[in-house]
Amino acid sequence: MSTPPRTPRPGLGFALRFLLAGVLVLGATGATVATAIQGEAQDVTDKIVRKGGGVDEKTAEALSDVTPGKPQTLLLVGDDRRKGEAGGSRSDTMILVRLDPDAKATTMLSLPRDLIITGKDGQPVRLNSAFGNGTDGLIDTLKRILSTPGEPFDIHHVVSIRFTAFSQAVNDFGCFYADVDRKYFNDNNPPAGGGSEPYAAIDVPAGYQRLCGEDSLAYVRFRHLDNDIVREARQQHYLTEARAQMATSSLIQNQDELVDTITDHVKTDIRSSRGLLGVAKLALGVVGHPTQRVSLDVTDTSEGALQATPQALAAAAKQFLHPDAPPSAKKREAARTKPSPSSASKKKTKRKRRATAKTPATLTDGAAAAKQVVRDRIARGFTKAPVYLPKLMEHEARYEDDDSRAYDIQSRNGETYPWQAYRLVVYLAGGQDGAGQYYGVQGTTWKNPPVLALAKDETRLAGRTYRIEYDGRRIRRLIWQTPSGTYWINNTLKNSLTNDEMRAIARSLVRYEG
């Protein structure tokens, strides 16, 4: 059966994941003081009940039984209906989160709304249609398509949040620093817009910067010229950075505003302080665990939908329930159990590593192109520290000189810092799904940006010590600190560059001499 193309909507289910992160951090904070969390949990649940934020009986019955202290899976649903709007629910995003203190990572699995699945009648339908028939129908559908022989897929809690909560929640948290991969612009006029269907206007430049409510909303919901997979990756990277910046002091100071924002827009089966305390306890148990984004292997269809084979769904479910340790953890374990080599063998190993550090065939000389962009767009605006640029670039990539820039960074109170920054943006042609990707080099005189908190490992490359942020098995960022500032190489939203390519680009960084 053919599925009609979707009319683009500006809905934002990402608000769901974002607000959940705030709830969990708030719960973990309060858990350190039993009396405080008891009062906060009861206050939240009382407000949810009072405002009619409970799920219906069918939805509650569709959920799996909860065993206290055991791992739990939360279904996060973004409802892009505006408050008071008539009609059925429309799910903009469906996210599964696994809270398991014994697992090697906290996993998140995104299910695209336009994913083609087999309905109960055996006919192909879009996953979003399951939510249109009620949250219980969506729960039953996900449990059916993700269960495998010998391992049923349980869903223990559901939280549904309207997208309109997002902007206010970002401001309640005091805004966040986001690593924007390229320039996002659309005013619905040619050449960026002007088609038959209008898209949300946006004007967010490239680079590491402070984004508040409306700009954050425009950035994470952007879909024009992208697809759902790229947007999901952008949203999850934003969430990872936001989680790392949720200061305990800010949560305590703004908890009343956050509770009001959450309860105005939320529906959930967690309607007792005991239930909220149970989730908060699990959240406390995963503090410090890496977040692993589980990728679902999909292909585009001619109708603008996405398809995934039963094998791909089973593989995603297995990785979600049983995540692998990130490379950094495996390396530390290997180092712990491996006998210490002698001094002579250490020297031999170092010589061998230097000899085998070959440049991947996919990279080429891009020094001249990088120098041109720095000369035209960056050098005159970034003057308080050296500018570093890579001599290597992906062989099919090109520099986006209109996106690359030098700029100042704002403080949390909105004032401009005396710290400068620059961003080199490189465009990488689209892969199998046709969506282009952007990687780049970031530099700033800010010596302790929040991004440092995401790095969990380090390595030596070309005589420099780089801190590594992993996203699953892929290197997300390589960060280098100097006495005058902080620099990093940023992978694409979908981590299209391999680990060898990221390391080679880092080794090729040289100082711009004019």
Side-chain angles (χ1 to χ4, degrees):
M1 183 181 72
S2 174
T3 54
R6 184 189 68 170
T7 301
R9 296 193 192 103
L12 184 64
F14 172 74
L16 179 59
R17 284 170 286 173
F18 177 83
L19 287 177
L20 177 80
V23 172
L24 297 185
V25 174
L26 181 60
T29 300
T32 61
V33 182
T35 56
I37 188 169
Q38 193 73 36
E40 289 165 7
Q42 191 61 59
D43 184 43
V44 172
T45 53
D46 285 349
K47 286 188 176 181
I48 290 174
V49 173
R50 187 166 63 250
K51 294 182 179 182
V55 298
D56 56 51
E57 187 175 341
K58 287 185 177 180
T59 297
E61 291 176 352
L63 294 167
S64 304
D65 291 335
V66 175
T67 303
K70 295 295 183 179
Q72 296 181 23
T73 295
L74 287 73
L75 169 60
L76 318 176
V77 183
D79 186 349
D80 69 1
R81 259 186 323 159
R82 288 163 177 81
K83 192 172 183 179
E85 184 179 57
S89 297
R90 301 191 300 253
S91 177
D92 178 77
T93 305
M94 289 155 274
I95 304 295
L96 291 161
V97 176
R98 181 73 170 173
L99 297 178
D100 183 356
D102 295 327
K104 299 178 176 68
T106 298
T107 48
M108 300 176 66
L109 171 61
S110 299
L111 284 306
R113 57 175 290 162
D114 291 330
L115 180 67
I116 297 297
I117 61 167
T118 302
K120 287 185 177 181
D121 58 358
Q123 298 299 312
V125 295
R126 296 188 189 231
L127 181 58
N128 186 43
S129 66
F131 186 54
N133 294 326
T135 310
D136 58 309
L138 176 60
I139 294 169
D140 288 337
T141 299
L142 293 177
K143 289 165 68 174
R144 175 171 56 84
I145 66 174
L146 293 172
S147 290
T148 55
E151 186 163 33
F153 194 95
D154 292 323
I155 298 175
H156 304 95
H157 292 297
V158 61
V159 183
S160 174
I161 298 180
R162 296 189 186 94
F163 83 95
T164 46
F166 179 74
S167 295
Q168 184 60 51
V170 170
N171 291 333
D172 288 343
F173 276 108
C175 308
F176 296 100
Y177 292 94
D179 208 359
V180 181
D181 59 318
R182 50 115 166 175
K183 180 180 180 180
Y184 289 83
F185 179 81
N186 177 34
D187 60 359
N188 283 307
N189 292 311
S196 58
E197 292 289 346
Y199 287 80
I202 184 174
D203 187 3
V204 175
Y208 193 68
Q209 60 195 286
R210 178 178 178 265
L211 293 182
C212 289
E214 290 302 318
D215 283 339
S216 289
L217 175 61
Y219 171 62
V220 298
R221 79 180 183 182
F222 183 85
R223 191 176 181 270
H224 185 40
L225 305 179
D226 277 341
N227 60 27
D228 281 339
I229 300 301
V230 175
R231 183 174 66 162
E232 291 292 343
R234 184 186 310 114
Q235 292 175 357
Q236 295 215 29
H237 288 314
Y238 182 97
L239 177 61
T240 297
E241 299 211 52
R243 271 185 55 182
Q245 296 171 49
M246 289 178 182
T248 298
S249 58
S250 175
L251 287 168
I252 293 174
Q253 292 170 5
N254 299 309
Q255 61 180 300
D256 290 339
E257 291 87 348
L258 288 169
V259 167
D260 287 340
T261 298
I262 293 167
T263 55
D264 276 342
H265 300 271
V266 70
K267 285 185 178 294
T268 180
D269 68 294
I270 307 173
R271 301 184 63 182
S272 69
S273 59
R274 181 178 179 182
L276 187 58
L277 282 166
V279 175
K281 184 177 180 180
L282 282 176
L284 186 61
V286 301
V287 170
H289 287 201
T291 300
Q292 188 173 123
R293 183 166 53 91
V294 178
S295 298
L296 176 63
D297 189 13
V298 298
T299 56
D300 279 325
T301 69
S302 57
E303 293 87 7
L306 298 167
Q307 286 184 321
T309 65
Q311 293 78 11
L313 288 166
K318 181 179 179 181
Q319 186 181 357
F320 176 80
L321 296 172
H322 309 288
D324 291 330
S328 56
K330 290 184 176 180
K331 183 164 55 173
R332 286 194 296 271
E333 177 63 18
R336 187 181 67 81
T337 57
K338 186 177 180 180
S340 299
S342 65
S343 298
S345 62
K346 284 182 180 180
K347 292 179 180 178
K348 183 178 179 181
T349 301
K350 287 182 178 179
R351 286 196 297 270
K352 182 178 179 181
R353 284 177 179 171
R354 290 193 188 102
T356 56
K358 296 180 180 179
T359 299
T362 51
L363 300 182
T364 189
D365 184 1
K371 286 181 180 179
Q372 185 67 45
V373 175
V374 171
R375 183 181 302 117
D376 294 345
R377 305 282 298 181
I378 292 171
R380 285 172 290 182
F382 189 79
T383 59
K384 296 181 179 179
V387 174
Y388 287 89
L389 56 87
K391 293 192 296 183
L392 294 175
M393 65 186 298
E394 209 278 340
H395 71 292
E396 292 185 345
R398 67 173 185 267
Y399 278 93
E400 294 286 34
D401 54 352
D402 289 339
D403 288 8
S404 301
R405 67 179 186 127
Y407 61 100
D408 293 325
I409 298 179
Q410 285 188 331
S411 65
R412 285 197 176 276
N413 61 12
E415 297 178 356
T416 299
Y417 272 139
W419 301 329
Q420 296 178 329
Y422 75 88
R423 181 63 160 241
L424 274 170
V425 179
V426 191
Y427 173 73
L428 185 62
Q432 181 181 5
D433 59 11
Q437 293 288 280
Y438 300 78
Y439 72 92
V441 175
Q442 177 77 36
T444 175
T445 56
W446 193 357
K447 296 181 182 180
N448 59 340
V451 68
L452 293 172
L454 297 171
K456 303 300 183 183
D457 199 10
E458 64 179 39
T459 187
R460 292 284 291 178
L461 299 169
R464 306 184 187 114
T465 298
Y466 282 89
R467 300 175 68 173
I468 308 174
E469 177 198 349
Y470 282 105
D471 182 13
R473 294 177 176 273
R474 282 292 175 100
I475 293 175
R476 173 69 186 149
R477 272 181 285 227
L478 286 168
I479 308 168
W480 172 43
Q481 291 180 281
T482 75
S484 56
T486 309
Y487 303 82
W488 63 83
I489 294 95
N490 210 78
N491 210 332
T492 71
L493 289 174
K494 297 194 298 180
N495 299 321
S496 303
L497 297 178
T498 67
N499 291 355
D500 285 343
E501 289 171 332
M502 288 286 288
R503 294 188 188 100
I505 292 172
R507 287 194 299 268
S508 78
L509 279 187
V510 295
R511 181 169 177 166
Y512 171 72
E513 299 295 347

